[in-house]
Amino acid sequence: MPEQCSPTPAGKHGTKTEVACEECGLFGFLRLLTVIDPQGERSEPLAGVLSRRTRIPKGETLYRHGQQLQAVYAVKSGAFKSYTLLDTGEEQVTSFHFPGELIGLDALKGNRHQYTVKALEDSSVCQLQFRELERSGVRLAEFREQMIKAMSEKIGEQSRLLLVSSRPSAEERLAAFVLNVSRRLEVRGFPSEAFRLAMSRQDIASYLGLAVETVSRMFKRFQAEGLLSVSGKQLRILNRTALQLLAKVRD
């Protein structure tokens, strides 16, 4: 029996630990779809019916490069990274995924995933399996149309991320990266001034095209200059205006 959407639980000090269903990227178009029975009658919307919550332990792979499309996922809690393997066997991180964001849209064209996706911490996802959609009477063409709309939004986000990694200096890249994460968390109803970076310094370095030593040095510099407060993976923005000026962006 598919698990229904439930109220968002709170962590310590009342901080959200997972995204609310109505703030999830999957919920926005799912509610527009309806089941069509054999007589052609429309019944209740699918929201909360085909969405199944699955727990993904830290380090476990959600899907691999080249794997056939089985489902489209929405991050319920935790965080993930997408990456490809270089000829050297090293990981090249291409993006990060936070609560409420969709994963798996890369396989809509070609029906196979272009990246490998792995959990950065203990996480959970809701998923829509295509076979279940067909069995439920959903018109797959209608579903794909909604997915294309979601994909266009994802492309817009990827374009903004590309601007982050293409900035000329290390300090600009890291400042823009922190602001980008902050904005994406805020959109889904999470704190945007103080948050946890689930990814390692190595993952950040890979994504930004920097040496891990440079990333560590920049974090220390930002902290010394009063831009950020950093304790392990916990981060707090102390001077957003200065970060924006450094990144040359309007947040």
Side-chain angles (χ1 to χ4, degrees), residues 190-203:
F190 287 85
S192 60
E193 298 301 313
F195 47 87
R196 182 175 184 273
L197 290 176
M199 66 288 294
S200 66
R201 297 290 188 265
Q202 180 62 56
D203 286 334

Side-chain angles (χ1 to χ4, degrees), residues 106-125:
D106 60 305
L108 288 181
K109 181 179 180 180
N111 210 40
R112 292 189 180 277
H113 292 290
Q114 301 173 34
Y115 309 101
T116 297
V117 173
K118 182 180 293 185
L120 293 168
E121 57 187 345
D122 289 343
S123 306
S124 63
V125 297

Side-chain angles (χ1 to χ4, degrees), residues 28-41:
F29 59 84
L30 254 185
R31 62 190 299 185
L32 301 178
L33 300 179
T34 54
V35 175
I36 303 174
D37 64 25
Q39 286 72 41
E41 296 293 330

